Every structure is written in C-alpha cells, then in structure tokens.
Amino acid sequence: MKKILILLALGMFVFSCKNEPKHKVAPAQENNKDLNVTKKTTAANFSSGEATQLYQDYLTVKAALVNTDMASAKKAASKLAKNLEGKEAYQNVRMVASLIAGAKDIEKQREFFVGLNEQTTVVLKAALDSGKIYQQYCPMAFEGKGGYWLSNSNEVRNPYFGDVMLACGEVTKEIN
C-alpha cells in the first residue's frame, strides 16, 4: 500500500511538471513581468558581508535564468565574479560565475548554474547565522538528471526551464 501511494504521488508530481504551459518567448519579455517574483520571501543573515553579497548576487543570476534572460544572467554573473576577485575562499564560485558570464547561450548558462549552485551552497551553509534558505529541486532538468538551486522563497521558480515549466520542482530542504 505504501509503495502504491509513493508511486501515485510521484506520478502526480511528474504529470504536473509536464503540463506547464509552453511559450516560445518568455512572458517576462512580452510584457515586462518578472517571473521570479513570489508572494513571500524569507530573509537570511550571514556571518560576513562577502557571504551576504554572494547570496544576493546568486539570487540575481537565478532570477535572470528564471526569466530566460541571457543578457541579464551574463551581467549578474559578471558582477558576482568581480565581487569575488582576490577572495581566495570564493575562487571556485568565482570560476563558475565566469563560465556563466562567458556562455554563448542560455542553455549553457543553465548548465553552468548547476556548478554555481553547488559551490555557493557549500559557502552559504557555513556562513548562515540566522534565517532560512530553501533548497529546491527539479527532477526533469537536464533530461531527467535533475537539478538543484537555492531560493529565498518556498514558492518554486525554476531557473532550468524558466517560463516553460516555471513551477516545476519542490523544496527539498530548508537550510537554517
């Protein structure tokens, strides 16, 4: 009985992700609406100004990818990399941000974002003093391999699919 319930729940999750509306052009580009906006956000406070800046820059890159805005993602990733210049503890994050900034298409930026997320998560977990960060996951990203990201809201805004499957995913962990 337990296996049947798990399979049913999994089937409903996959079905809901597959039925997201599809658009050729992101609605954000059609009517200047930011797809990354959520009803409620949660604050997070860090042990250093560098970690705080990293979190804000990371969220800006994520928002650009949610909005399928390659130019904004490039700009945000460049800013993130520049803010980390000369900071040895953040060199892995800086390297991945530079890859996003140099990518020639949004899909490559999204692939590199996986690495940015991994590196940023390590740093932010160690530096979080108070508040909450949501770790979210989409099982359909990268042809079913899945992908994680961090958010300041428990409402899913998927950076790997943007408007195509905006709400596909789930909160897998609350980092406190």
Side-chain angles (χ1 to χ4, degrees), residues 27-44:
Q29 295 167 347
E30 290 173 359
N31 56 19
N32 295 326
K33 183 179 178 192
D34 184 353
L35 297 175
N36 194 54
V37 172
T38 57
K39 292 177 187 165
K40 183 180 173 187
T41 59
T42 303

Side-chain angles (χ1 to χ4, degrees), residues 3 14 18 21 27 30 50 61-63 69 73 88 92 103 108 112 115 120 122 134 145 151 154 158:
K3 288 182 182 179
V14 171
K18 287 185 178 179
E30 290 173 359
E50 292 170 342
V61 173
K62 179 206 150 227
D69 186 339
E88 191 63 34
N92 289 340
K108 267 296 188 211
F112 292 138
T120 301
V122 170
Y134 297 95
K145 293 177 186 166
S151 181
N154 66 352
N158 191 319

Side-chain angles (χ1 to χ4, degrees), residues 42-46 51 55 58-59 117 120-121 123-136 149-154 171 173-176:
T42 303
N45 299 300
F46 299 93
Y55 184 56
Y58 171 93
L59 291 176
N117 178 67
T120 301
T121 299
V123 172
L124 295 180
K125 275 184 178 180
L128 186 64
D129 276 345
S130 64
K132 189 182 301 186
I133 301 171
Y134 297 95
Q135 182 182 49
Q136 299 178 344
W149 67 93
L150 301 175
S151 181
N152 61 351
S153 175
N154 66 352
V171 174
K173 184 189 285 187
E174 292 180 6
I175 302 168
N176 296 313

Side-chain angles (χ1 to χ4, degrees), residues 33-135:
K33 183 179 178 192
D34 184 353
L35 297 175
N36 194 54
V37 172
T38 57
K39 292 177 187 165
K40 183 180 173 187
T41 59
T42 303
N45 299 300
F46 299 93
S47 59
S48 72
E50 292 170 342
T52 300
Q53 186 65 53
L54 169 60
Y55 184 56
Q56 292 306 314
D57 290 346
Y58 171 93
L59 291 176
T60 303
V61 173
K62 179 206 150 227
L65 295 175
V66 167
N67 284 301
T68 313
D69 186 339
M70 189 179 115
S72 291
K74 181 183 216 78
K75 182 178 176 182
S78 292
K79 180 183 177 212
L80 192 159
K82 183 172 174 56
N83 287 340
L84 297 177
E85 281 179 4
K87 297 175 173 107
E88 191 63 34
Y90 298 92
Q91 288 311 304
N92 289 340
V93 177
R94 184 176 182 273
M95 181 187 71
V96 180
S98 295
L99 291 172
I100 294 170
K104 303 290 184 203
D105 64 66
I106 192 86
E107 295 309 318
K108 267 296 188 211
Q109 288 178 323
R110 287 174 167 152
E111 287 175 29
F112 292 138
F113 186 71
V114 171
L116 182 67
N117 178 67
E118 290 170 358
Q119 297 301 319
T120 301
T121 299
V122 170
V123 172
L124 295 180
K125 275 184 178 180
L128 186 64
D129 276 345
S130 64
K132 189 182 301 186
I133 301 171
Y134 297 95
Q135 182 182 49

